[in-house]
Amino acid sequence: MSTNGHRRLNNLVTEVLSTPFAAGTEAQTFTFTTTRDGWVFLATPKAAAAEVRLDGRCVIDAATPRGETFREVAYGPHTITVTGARAAGRLVVRQIAEIFNYCPGTNSRVAENPPYNWAFQEKYSNPCVTTQNGGQIPAEHRAEFRARGYLWLANLGTTKLADEHDLTHRLETAQGMLRPWYDGLTCDEQFFGQPAMLRAYTRGLRAFANPENRRIYTWIVGRPGTPSVDHDFLRASIEASRGRGRLLFEAYCRTRATEEEARTYLGNYVTETLRSYERWCPGAAASTGIAFGDFTQIPIISLVHHPEVDFKYFLDMQLNLVANDPAFRELGCTGYWGSYYADHEMHRWAMALLRHYCVDGNTEMLSHAY
């Protein structure tokens, strides 16, 4: 398989095609390859208003917002056809990590914030994420959301399991496994250091038939430490959904008084945790999502512990780390939990950071532009 023309932009983004196309009605065909199953970002100039077909399926047309789309594709070669371009332009395809957000369409509990409704999602979130978790997508927009390539996962409580059968029953009756507008669910949540619970979760997950092969992602807190039990848990979580499962590491980083302290803290907390997954389960990084926290409101959970610290800059440091540090080169997913607990400005900034690093493939801090 040829990777000629691939250009690694950062840990999260590889440009696999960048080619000009001409104006006109005749079909223009291009090819690219991907090095793994996963997400790609495709874009054309909106002014060109061309129809773009990926492996025979229309993914961009004149009605597509911004002339761009996210799509999941299989490992290997792919064909793109451009027709009906009103103007010449450039077709760009990037292989990207999965980009995750919890949760859409749920307003801040602080009523003074503007609503995080569908208009907010369309303007600030949908250009920056591939996968939404929990929350609400209005019924009249669900078919459109799915047709545009996005994933929507429900969230299922999975703490305090009585036994493995308890988890299996919860999965069998979960909305994310039954409702047609969902692509699966996230299991919320498990903790390293609770071997009895992890054992029940692991056995229940493996016993669940998942007849439609919907996604099952597992929220996890902490680092592995119990031999056998934690090995089995890591492997079962990754192997869920016939190998499409994800570990969602809850990396909710609290501020530190100085930038130097913050960098040390992020290295110890975020980088070393991912390395621990790799030591216990080689290859785990590709099936891991690092869910950072952007929540600034509700005092008992706010991550802002130092009022003198620029929290925007601190958030930027976190995504900059995973975009650049070699430890994250194979990371499968990143994003945020708790966006609806963030004030309006912070929610928008978090989405802008996802776009900056996970779509545009930048390596420098977005903060430097401001």
Side-chain angles (χ1 to χ4, degrees):
M1 182 186 67
S2 173
T3 57
N4 291 339
H6 284 205
R7 186 165 66 98
R8 190 91 183 218
L9 303 183
N10 64 23
N11 288 336
L12 307 169
V13 181
T14 298
E15 189 170 86
V16 296
L17 180 68
S18 178
T19 186
F21 59 84
T25 58
E26 292 186 6
Q28 301 165 73
T29 300
F30 311 95
T31 60
F32 68 91
T33 60
T34 53
T35 57
R36 53 170 169 70
D37 294 347
W39 289 91
V40 292
F41 167 78
L42 302 92
T44 61
K46 183 63 176 173
E51 180 184 270
V52 179
R53 289 186 171 271
L54 173 62
D55 297 332
R57 179 181 179 184
C58 181
V59 294
I60 297 175
D61 59 22
T64 303
R66 303 171 301 280
E68 60 185 44
T69 187
F70 299 106
R71 298 286 164 165
E72 273 194 301
V73 298
Y75 161 86
H78 300 276
T79 300
I80 290 186
T81 304
V82 178
T83 57
R86 291 205 304 253
R90 179 166 289 274
L91 171 66
V92 173
V93 183
R94 297 179 186 139
Q95 180 176 285
I96 63 173
E98 184 172 12
I99 317 171
F100 186 94
N101 178 60
Y102 180 100
C103 59
T106 302
N107 293 334
S108 167
R109 294 188 182 183
V110 179
E112 287 75 12
N113 279 303
Y116 300 156
N117 54 18
W118 182 251
F120 179 95
Q121 290 297 127
E122 278 286 79
K123 186 172 183 179
Y124 297 113
S125 185
N126 287 344
C128 313
V129 303
T130 64
T131 305
Q132 296 279 13
N133 181 210
Q136 292 294 326
I137 294 175
E140 64 271 24
H141 293 293
R142 290 172 186 169
E144 169 197 1
F145 187 79
R146 177 180 290 273
R148 284 163 56 187
Y150 297 105
L151 294 183
W152 187 22
L153 307 177
N155 195 56
L156 174 68
T158 56
T159 57
K160 299 181 180 178
L161 297 171
D163 53 28
E164 62 198 77
H165 306 293
D166 186 4
L167 177 65
T168 304
H169 174 72
R170 295 188 200 190
L171 289 169
E172 288 172 344
T173 57
Q175 297 295 296
M177 291 294 160
L178 300 175
R179 299 301 184 188
W181 48 82
Y182 288 123
D183 297 284
L185 52 77
T186 55
C187 291
D188 191 8
E189 63 195 317
Q190 299 304 313
F191 298 81
F192 287 118
Q194 297 183 354
M197 199 62 61
L198 285 186
R199 188 178 293 109
Y201 181 86
T202 299
R203 291 173 176 173
L205 189 59
R206 285 181 168 150
F208 177 57
N210 195 4
E212 295 183 5
N213 193 27
R214 296 197 185 193
R215 311 300 175 97
I216 302 176
Y217 292 3
T218 301
W219 291 103
I220 182 63
V221 178
R223 297 180 188 176
T226 306
S228 182
V229 172
D230 291 356
H231 286 106
D232 287 349
F233 165 77
L234 288 164
R235 182 55 59 192
S237 297
I238 290 170
E239 291 175 348
S241 307
R242 298 169 179 77
R244 298 187 301 170
R246 287 214 189 280
L247 292 158
L248 297 176
F249 161 41
E250 300 181 36
Y252 307 149
C253 304
R254 298 174 175 85
T255 56
R256 291 299 185 264
T258 69
E259 185 171 345
E260 182 180 358
E261 290 177 50
R263 293 194 186 282
T264 300
Y265 164 68
L266 293 176
N268 291 337
Y269 181 25
V270 182
T271 309
E272 289 307 313
T273 297
L274 185 68
R275 285 175 173 159
S276 75
Y277 292 0
E278 278 287 319
R279 286 193 298 270
W280 283 66
C281 182
S287 298
T288 295
I290 297 181
F292 291 112
D294 57 357
F295 38 97
T296 53
Q297 298 185 321
I298 315 301
I300 62 169
I301 67 166
S302 173
L303 296 170
V304 181
H305 292 201
H306 300 79
E308 72 277 15
V309 167
D310 183 341
F311 189 64
K312 283 181 162 182
Y313 190 87
F314 184 55
L315 288 181
D316 199 346
M317 289 174 65
Q318 295 165 43
L319 276 180
N320 186 268
L321 175 69
V322 300
N324 290 288
D325 190 302
F328 303 93
R329 189 169 178 82
E330 302 303 323
L331 186 69
C333 173
T334 193
Y336 290 101
W337 181 91
S339 294
Y340 68 123
Y341 287 134
D343 63 76
H344 197 264
E345 173 72 6
M346 211 57 64
H347 195 341
R348 290 188 286 115
W349 176 251
M351 296 301 104
L353 289 173
L354 292 177
R355 179 78 187 199
H356 180 75
Y357 290 110
C358 304
V359 179
D360 297 337
N362 290 298
T363 56
E364 76 283 358
M365 293 184 72
L366 181 58
S367 302
H368 292 169
Y370 299 97

